[in-house]
Amino acid sequence: TQLLEQSPQFLSIQEGENLTVYCNSSSVFSSLQWYRQEPGEGPVLLVTVVTGGEVKKLKRLTFQFGDARKDSSLHITAAQPGDTGLYLCAGFQGGKLIFGQGTELSVKP
Amino acid sequence: NAGVTQTPKFRVLKTGQSMTLLCAQDMNHEYMYWYRQDPGMGLRLIHYSVGEGTTAKGEVPDGYNVSRLKKQNFLLGLESAAPSQTSVYFCASSYGGLANEQFFGPGTRLTVL
């Protein structure tokens, strides 16, 4: 059972464009993590959000946790080729960490 | 610090063969994990350990065994490999449990023919 749905699954954009990746569930999570994974590497944690409505910024990346703690979004402003990679959300619930299936982002120069 | 390292990086097995994947971490973390990553499936937890000498089943444990004889090492074994075990395997470690930041290794790409 896939408890966390990420959309879109694939995204190909030009450098300088803005984009938003969504992570949705019908379940409530205690916290939600976002990871980025580059080809041939393991995932690296970008941020953890724990409070409903919380917004965190990491340079050009803005993360938001939904008010009901069932969903989250990642917004990238003025994307750069270095942002290319697989973005994974992971929700912590009932002692388990559930990963979404990932969003493959390609930013072309 | 090397962080989390995995050996080997690539491996091809025939159905029925066995192998062991080695994970090592130098961050003195108590918790260690083995995941598999398949296209469109995200990361799925195979087994995990909350400390030296302990192991526990994750979401997809069938066909795999693990051991944590030393705090810094976590071994994943496949006793009789099957094509369904073709995947990329990641080891991770964390200071606390799953809600805490996990540090991942570079992965092992395994193909079972």
Side-chain angles (χ1 to χ4, degrees):
Chain A
T1 302
Q2 182 68 278
L3 295 181
L4 266 178
E5 293 286 340
Q6 282 187 242
S7 61
Q9 283 196 314
F10 301 95
L11 192 53
S12 181
I13 61 172
Q14 293 295 128
E15 182 176 1
E17 291 184 19
N18 301 331
L19 66 114
T20 302
V21 175
Y22 299 93
C23 178
N24 294 307
S25 175
S26 57
S27 304
V28 176
F29 292 102
S30 303
S31 63
L32 194 135
Q33 303 170 358
W34 282 94
Y35 287 84
R36 185 171 80 193
Q37 182 178 11
E38 298 188 16
E41 305 280 335
V44 176
L45 182 70
L46 295 172
V47 76
T48 301
V49 286
V50 297
T51 305
E54 183 177 3
V55 176
K56 281 191 174 180
K57 293 193 175 184
L58 190 66
K59 296 183 181 177
R60 293 176 292 100
L61 279 60
T62 301
F63 304 85
Q64 184 163 8
F65 203 12
D67 291 341
R69 290 185 287 126
K70 293 182 179 182
D71 53 81
S72 182
S73 63
L74 158 60
H75 183 79
I76 301 179
T77 303
Q80 298 178 0
D83 295 326
T84 293
L86 178 69
Y87 289 81
L88 294 159
C89 63
F92 183 71
Q93 173 200 61
K96 297 181 180 180
L97 189 67
I98 309 297
F99 280 85
Q101 75 270 47
T103 294
E104 193 90 48
L105 172 65
S106 173
V107 182
K108 298 185 182 348
Chain B
N1 290 347
V4 179
T5 57
Q6 292 183 231
T7 309
K9 287 191 70 71
F10 303 93
R11 186 72 186 268
V12 177
L13 290 179
K14 293 182 180 178
T15 297
Q17 287 185 318
S18 64
M19 78 163 294
T20 300
L21 280 65
L22 172 64
C23 175
Q25 53 96 3
D26 62 1
M27 295 173 282
N28 202 34
H29 286 164
E30 290 292 337
Y31 293 75
M32 295 187 75
Y33 315 88
W34 275 107
Y35 290 91
R36 60 178 290 171
Q37 186 175 40
D38 302 291
M41 300 288 287
L43 286 160
R44 292 182 292 169
L45 184 64
I46 304 171
H47 285 281
Y48 64 98
S49 169
V50 302
E52 181 179 318
T54 75
T55 63
K57 293 180 180 180
E59 182 186 352
V60 287
D62 294 343
Y64 306 95
N65 56 75
V66 288
S67 65
R68 183 105 181 263
L69 298 179
K70 293 183 179 181
K71 186 177 183 178
Q72 64 267 37
N73 296 336
F74 195 27
L75 277 63
L76 177 71
L78 286 73
E79 290 187 347
S80 180
S84 61
Q85 294 178 304
T86 293
S87 187
V88 182
Y89 291 86
F90 288 98
C91 176
S93 71
S94 66
Y95 180 71
L98 283 167
N100 295 273
E101 178 178 7
Q102 294 184 63
F103 294 83
F104 285 84
T108 295
R109 182 173 293 277
L110 175 66
T111 301
V112 183
L113 302 175

